[in-house]
Amino acid sequence: MTTINKALTIAGSDSGGGAGIQADLKTFQELGVYGMSALTAVTAQNTLGVHGVYPLEPAAVAAQLDAVGADLPPDAVKTGMLFSSSIIGTVADKAREYGWRNLVIDPVMVAKGGSRLLLREAVDALVTRLLPLALVTTPNIPEAEMLTGLQITSLQEREIAAKTIVEMGSRYALIKGGHGARHEPMVDLLYDGRTFRYLESKRIDTRHTHGTGCTYSAALTAALARGFAVEDAMEMAKAFIQAAIEDELGFGEGHGPTNHFAYRRRMRSEARAR
Ligand SMILES: Nc1ncnc2c1ncn2[C@@H]1O[C@H](COP(=O)(O)OP(=O)(O)O)[C@@H](O)[C@H]1O
Ligand SMILES: Cc1ncc(COP(=O)(O)OP(=O)(O)O)c(N)n1
C-alpha cells in the first residue's frame, strides 16, 4: 500500500477556482498530498471580483469537521476564509477536540478587490480562539496590522508584529511580503520566538495574482503534512508560489488565478534534464 499523507482545508469556495478551497485542494494534489475539505462559505467570484458571499451555518461546518476528524485524521490542517466569530469558535473547538497540531492559520480578511471575507467583529475571535492553537500563522501585511493593531511600514515593524503574533500563542509567525512597496523585492519573514528568517524573491510584474496567499499557505500545509520542518516547508511553499506566479495562465479580464500546474511541471523537466 502506498503511503500518502492527508491534509484538510477549512475555507470558503471560490467559484473561479483561483483561491479558497479550490486553490488549496489543487495545491495539495500537486504536492502529492490527499486533500480533504470543510466548507465555511460559498462565494460567487471570478477574476473581476467577489459578487456574492453565502456563509454556512456553524453546525454545517462542525458536521464536516466531525466527519473528517472521526475517520480520516489529517496530518496537517489549514484554515482560510472563516467569515464569522461563530464559525471560528466551531473550528477552534474541533481543532482542540481532535488534537490537530500541524495547524496553519491563514487569517484571510479581505479579497484583493476589497470584499470582506471576515466580519470585522470576528478579528478578536481569530486572535483569542484560534491563534493560540496555530503552528504557523501566515498574515499578509494588512492582516498582520489588523491582528496586532500595529502599523507596519518597515522591516523592523514587521519583526515587532511577528513577535506580537508569537506572543499571542502561534508557534511561528510568517508575515508575507506581497503587499510591500512596488519597487521592493518580495520578502517573507518567519519568526519562531527566537530567530528571524527572511526569504526573498523577485517581484513578478503581473496582474494574475488572485489566490497567492491561499496557494502559498496550502503549499506550506502540504509540506508539513509530508513531515517537513516549518523552515523547509516555507522554502517549498515559496518555490511553489513563485512558479505559479511566473508561469501565468492569463485567464480572465481581471486578476487571474496563479498556475497550480507550474511547480510540478518544472520539477519534472528539471528531473528529465539531469
Ligand atoms: N507579484 C509577485 N511576485 C512574486 N511573489 C509574489 C507576488 N505577489 C505575491 N507574491 C508572493 O506570494 C505569497 C503570498 O503573498 P501575499 O500576496 O502577500 O498574500 P495574500 O494573497 O494573502 O495577500 C508570498 O510569498 C509573496 O511573497
Ligand atoms: C473563498 C476565498 N478565500 C480566500 C480568498 C482570498 O485569497 P487570497 O489568496 O488572499 O487572494 P486574493 O483574493 O487576495 O487574490 C478569496 N478571494 N476567496
Side-chain angles (χ1 to χ4, degrees), residues 12-14 19-21 43 45 50 81 106 108 110-112 117 140 143 209-215:
S13 165
D14 166 8
I21 289 272
T43 70
Q45 206 173 158
V50 179
M81 171 184 180
D106 183 13
V108 171
V110 182
K112 280 202 178 72
L117 303 177
N140 60 30
E143 290 160 356
T209 55
H210 172 54
T212 46
C214 299
T215 301

Side-chain angles (χ1 to χ4, degrees), residues 39-233:
L39 214 59
T40 57
V42 172
T43 70
Q45 206 173 158
N46 58 20
T47 68
L48 299 171
V50 179
H51 307 287
V53 173
Y54 308 91
L56 264 66
E57 290 296 323
V61 179
Q64 296 172 78
L65 297 178
D66 282 333
V68 174
D71 186 44
L72 297 157
D75 298 293
V77 178
K78 71 155 280 193
T79 68
M81 171 184 180
L82 296 175
F83 192 69
S84 67
S85 53
S86 49
I87 293 180
I88 291 170
T90 300
V91 171
D93 289 346
K94 294 298 170 192
R96 279 187 196 281
E97 183 178 336
Y98 293 105
W100 292 329
R101 302 215 178 288
N102 280 334
L103 181 60
V104 174
I105 308 291
D106 183 13
V108 171
M109 294 185 189
V110 182
K112 280 202 178 72
S115 303
R116 289 209 74 84
L117 303 177
L118 181 77
L119 298 174
R120 272 181 210 284
E121 54 86 11
V123 175
D124 193 48
L126 202 55
V127 170
T128 57
R129 304 288 315 272
L130 218 44
L131 251 59
L133 305 179
L135 174 62
V136 192
T137 303
T138 64
N140 60 30
I141 292 171
E143 290 160 356
E145 289 182 326
M146 284 298 291
L147 292 175
T148 61
L150 299 166
Q151 215 194 353
I152 305 174
T153 55
S154 65
L155 283 185
Q156 201 192 1
E157 286 168 349
R158 230 185 271 189
E159 289 186 355
I160 297 169
K163 270 190 178 167
T164 307
I165 290 167
V166 167
E167 280 161 15
M168 286 167 167
S170 180
R171 287 260 309 282
Y172 288 78
L174 197 179
I175 303 188
K176 300 170 292 187
H179 294 247
R182 270 193 81 83
H183 60 279
E184 288 174 356
M186 294 290 172
V187 183
D188 297 344
L189 166 64
L190 183 70
Y191 181 61
D192 63 357
R194 281 194 311 259
T195 310
F196 295 104
R197 188 187 158 93
Y198 288 97
L199 202 50
E200 190 174 317
S201 60
K202 191 172 60 129
R203 183 182 289 272
I204 302 150
D205 188 16
T206 174
R207 63 184 162 91
H208 298 294
T209 55
H210 172 54
T212 46
C214 299
T215 301
Y216 186 55
S217 56
L220 182 80
T221 307
L224 293 172
R226 284 170 51 180
F228 285 66
V230 174
E231 292 75 7
D232 298 332

